[in-house]
Amino acid sequence: MLSEGNEKEEVKTFEGLGICKELVVACDKLGWKNPSKIQAEAIPYALEGKDLIGLAQTGSGKTGAFVLPILQALLEAQRPFFACVLSPTRELAIQISEQFEALGSEIGVKCAVLVGGIDMGQQAIKLAKRPHIIVATPGRLVDHLKNTKGFSLRTLKFLVLDEADRLLNVDFEKSLDEILNVIPRERKTYLFSATMTKKVRKLQRACLRNPVKIEAASKYSTVNTLKQQYWFMASMYKDCHLVYLLTEMIGCTTMVFTSTCDKTRFLAITLRKLGFRAIPINGQMSQAKRLGALNMFKAGECNILICTDVASRGLDIPSVDVVINYDIPFESKDYIHRVGRTARAGRSGFAVSLLDQYQLEWYLLIEQLIGKKLSGYPAQEEEVLLLHERVEEAKRLSTIEIKEKGGRKRRADGGDDDDDDGDIYSFRKVKSSKKSRRR
C-alpha cells in the first residue's frame, strides 16, 4: 500500500529534521541554511527507514533529499559498496558524486563514478579501493558487474534511481533489469523524478516496499518564478529569430535546446561567426569534451550552450538566465526538464519556445500538459528580418567550415571519431587571439 508523505509538519532546519551534527556542518559550508520542501518532507521518512518515491520540480533540491539520509546511515555503518545511485546521463552522475563528496567531506566518504566514455581500467582501480558510494549509468554498471573481478553489490543497503522516468526508457530497460536481479532484496530504495509516468508506477510496484510518496509539486508543473512564452514564425526565418532573441538577451547565460546533435554544432559555429560566445554539447561528443564544454559554460568562458536533451536532466547550473527551445521537444514532458534548467532554487528565469508551422501540434500538447496558455513573445517582425542577410552568410560560412573539417577527418588516418572538439578548441583560439590583439 502506498502511503502519502505530505502531512508532516514543516521543519525549518536540517537539525530539526534529525540530521546529525557532522552533516549539518557540511550543509552550512555549502550554504544550505534551510531545507527545501522536498528535503523537509522526504528526509524524516528516509531516516525512519522507509522506501521513498519523491516527485519534485527540477531545481528543488531532490538530490540532497536522498544524499543526506544515505550519508547519515553510512556514518553509523561505514561499509564499502553501501549505496548505489543510478543516473540516466554521465553529467548527472558526476554531479551527484560531487554532492556526496561535498556533503560527506566531514565523514571521509569515498565515492566512485562509473559512466561510459571513461576507461574501465581506471574505474576498476577505484572499485578496488572499495568506495562507500557508487554513482553510475546502468550500462556501465552492468559492464563492471560482469567484467571487473571481485566486484559485486552484495553489501548494498541503498539503491537510488534518479530521474526515474528517463531510466525506464527502452535504452536502459535491459540493464536495469540485470541490476535489480543481482542486488540484495533487503535494501532501502529511493525513486526520484520530476514527473510520474506509467512506467514509474510499474517500477514502484516491482522494487519498492510500502513506499512513502512525497509529492512536492503538482504532477506536471513548472515553478512560479519562471516566465514562459512562445514565438511563432516561418521555419525559414527561425535562425533570424534566434539571433534577434540572443541579441536582446545579450550578456545573459542561455541554454538553447535543439533536436539533433548535428544542429548543436552547426548553430554554435554560426553564432560564433556572428560574434556570440556559443559552444555545443551533445551525446556524440566524448565524455571529456562534454565536460569541457560544460565547465566552460559554468565558468562563464562562453555564455550560450547549444545542447540536445542530454543537458536537460538534473544538471545544476545555478546561473542560467534563459532557456530557448529552438526545436520543440518530441516528448511533452521533456519541456518541463528543459525549462527547469532556469529559475532554480527560488530564482527567476525566462523560457521561450521558437515555434514554426511544423511544430504547432507538439506545442499545444505542452500547453495541455502544464495546464496553462502561454503568451507570445513581443517583437517587431520587420526588425528581425533585417538580420536575414547577415545570418544567411554566417550559415553559408559554417556549412563550408563543417565540410572542410569533415574532409580533413576522412583523410586523417585513425582520426578522432568525434570532431566536436573543433568547436571547443576553435572557441578557445578565437578567445586567445582576441587577447593577443588587446595586448
Side-chain angles (χ1 to χ4, degrees):
M1 182 179 176
L2 187 68
S3 54
E4 296 293 333
N6 53 8
E7 296 178 1
K8 290 225 166 187
E9 185 178 347
E10 188 176 345
V11 182
K12 299 294 184 183
T13 67
F14 286 103
E15 190 173 7
L17 295 176
I19 296 298
C20 64
K21 183 179 179 182
E22 293 91 336
L23 295 178
V24 170
V25 170
C27 288
D28 193 58
K29 285 183 177 179
L30 290 181
W32 294 14
K33 302 301 181 185
N34 303 103
S36 67
K37 185 177 180 184
I38 185 66
Q39 292 166 355
E41 294 190 11
I43 288 173
Y45 288 105
L47 295 178
E48 290 174 11
K50 305 284 188 183
D51 282 5
L52 296 179
I53 298 173
L55 299 178
Q57 297 153 331
T58 54
S60 61
K62 54 188 169 71
T63 305
F66 63 78
V67 170
L68 287 169
I70 289 173
L71 289 177
Q72 184 142 319
L74 175 63
L75 186 60
E76 299 166 2
Q78 285 298 330
R79 295 181 185 177
F81 305 140
F82 186 72
C84 177
V85 183
L86 295 179
S87 156
T89 69
R90 302 168 184 179
E91 288 78 16
L92 179 55
I94 292 167
Q95 186 170 288
I96 292 169
S97 170
E98 290 170 349
Q99 194 110 99
F100 268 108
E101 290 173 343
L103 288 169
S105 60
E106 299 291 313
I107 62 174
V109 70
K110 292 189 295 181
C111 197
V113 180
L114 309 180
V115 297
I118 296 174
D119 180 60
M120 279 189 66
Q122 295 177 13
Q123 294 174 350
I125 291 171
K126 288 187 177 181
L127 290 176
K129 296 178 181 178
R130 301 179 68 77
H132 305 106
I133 311 293
I134 294 168
V135 188
T137 49
R140 181 50 63 96
L141 180 60
V142 169
D143 288 343
H144 280 287
L145 287 168
K146 289 179 177 178
N147 302 310
T148 300
K149 188 175 180 180
F151 172 58
S152 77
L153 294 174
R154 287 192 299 268
T155 60
L156 188 73
K157 296 300 178 185
F158 288 86
L159 174 69
V160 181
L161 290 91
D162 197 16
E163 302 291 349
D165 57 332
R166 176 86 176 274
L167 283 171
L168 294 168
N169 286 351
V170 66
D171 298 347
F172 301 109
E173 189 172 2
K174 184 181 176 184
S175 297
L176 197 57
D177 287 342
E178 291 185 49
I179 293 165
L180 292 174
N181 284 334
V182 299
I183 61 176
R185 294 187 176 217
E186 293 296 322
R187 65 172 190 271
K188 304 302 175 193
T189 305
Y190 302 155
L191 188 156
F192 280 83
S193 180
T195 52
M196 173 64 90
T197 64
K198 290 179 181 177
K199 288 184 177 180
V200 173
R201 290 192 187 94
K202 181 181 177 182
L203 180 66
Q204 159 208 314
R205 292 193 294 271
C207 71
L208 281 81
R209 298 185 178 186
N210 193 27
V212 176
K213 182 179 177 184
I214 311 294
E215 195 162 356
S218 57
K219 188 176 180 183
Y220 300 115
S221 64
T222 52
V223 295
N224 295 329
T225 54
L226 173 66
K227 181 181 179 182
Q228 303 171 77
Q229 293 183 323
Y230 70 90
W231 197 0
F232 189 73
M233 66 209 60
S235 61
M236 66 181 294
Y237 296 120
K238 182 176 277 192
D239 296 318
C240 288
H241 287 73
L242 175 63
V243 171
Y244 179 89
L245 193 58
L246 291 172
T247 303
E248 290 285 294
M249 307 288 174
I250 199 76
C252 291
T253 305
T254 305
M255 295 180 73
V256 180
F257 284 96
T258 72
S259 58
T260 68
C261 297
D262 287 343
K263 205 175 288 185
T264 63
R265 188 177 175 211
F266 180 77
L267 282 178
I269 295 173
T270 301
L271 290 172
R272 282 205 299 276
K273 291 187 182 302
L274 291 165
F276 294 97
R277 295 182 295 135
I279 198 164
I281 183 170
N282 62 62
Q284 290 181 354
M285 295 166 66
S286 70
Q287 184 60 29
K289 291 163 189 172
R290 281 159 64 171
L291 287 175
L294 194 59
N295 288 336
M296 287 177 69
F297 183 64
K298 285 183 173 181
E301 292 182 55
C302 60
N303 69 322
I304 300 171
L305 189 68
I306 315 293
C307 45
T308 57
D309 281 313
V310 74
S312 70
R313 299 283 186 134
L315 297 185
D316 186 18
I317 309 170
S319 58
V320 176
D321 303 308
V322 181
V323 168
I324 299 174
N325 287 305
Y326 179 89
D327 292 314
I328 301 298
F330 300 118
E331 291 287 340
S332 301
K333 291 186 289 293
D334 287 337
Y335 173 85
I336 295 171
H337 293 287
R338 287 182 180 188
V339 300
R341 298 308 96 212
T342 186
R344 298 175 72 82
R347 289 178 286 269
S348 61
F350 176 58
V352 60
S353 298
L354 304 185
L355 181 62
D356 63 39
Q357 66 269 33
Y358 305 111
Q359 299 179 325
L360 181 59
E361 186 176 349
W362 296 336
Y363 175 74
L364 293 175
L365 290 174
I366 289 170
E367 285 193 334
Q368 183 180 337
L369 182 75
I370 63 178
K372 62 174 73 172
K373 290 282 185 184
L374 304 185
S375 61
Y377 182 78
Q380 295 295 322
E381 203 67 17
E382 297 81 5
E383 293 181 19
V384 177
L385 296 181
L386 290 174
L387 297 167
H388 184 64
E389 189 174 331
R390 281 183 58 216
V391 172
E392 288 302 305
E393 176 63 11
K395 288 167 64 176
R396 186 184 70 82
L397 294 173
S398 299
T399 301
I400 293 170
E401 181 176 325
I402 288 171
K403 284 182 179 178
E404 287 177 348
K405 283 183 179 179
R408 288 198 300 270
K409 181 178 166 185
R410 284 190 295 272
R411 289 191 296 272
D413 184 23
D416 193 342
D417 287 340
D418 124 41
D419 196 37
D420 287 285
D421 60 337
D423 289 332
I424 295 175
Y425 298 130
S426 64
F427 177 88
R428 284 179 170 149
K429 284 175 186 174
V430 168
K431 191 176 177 188
S432 175
S433 65
K434 285 181 179 178
K435 285 182 180 176
S436 299
R437 286 197 297 272
R438 282 200 296 269
R439 291 194 192 105

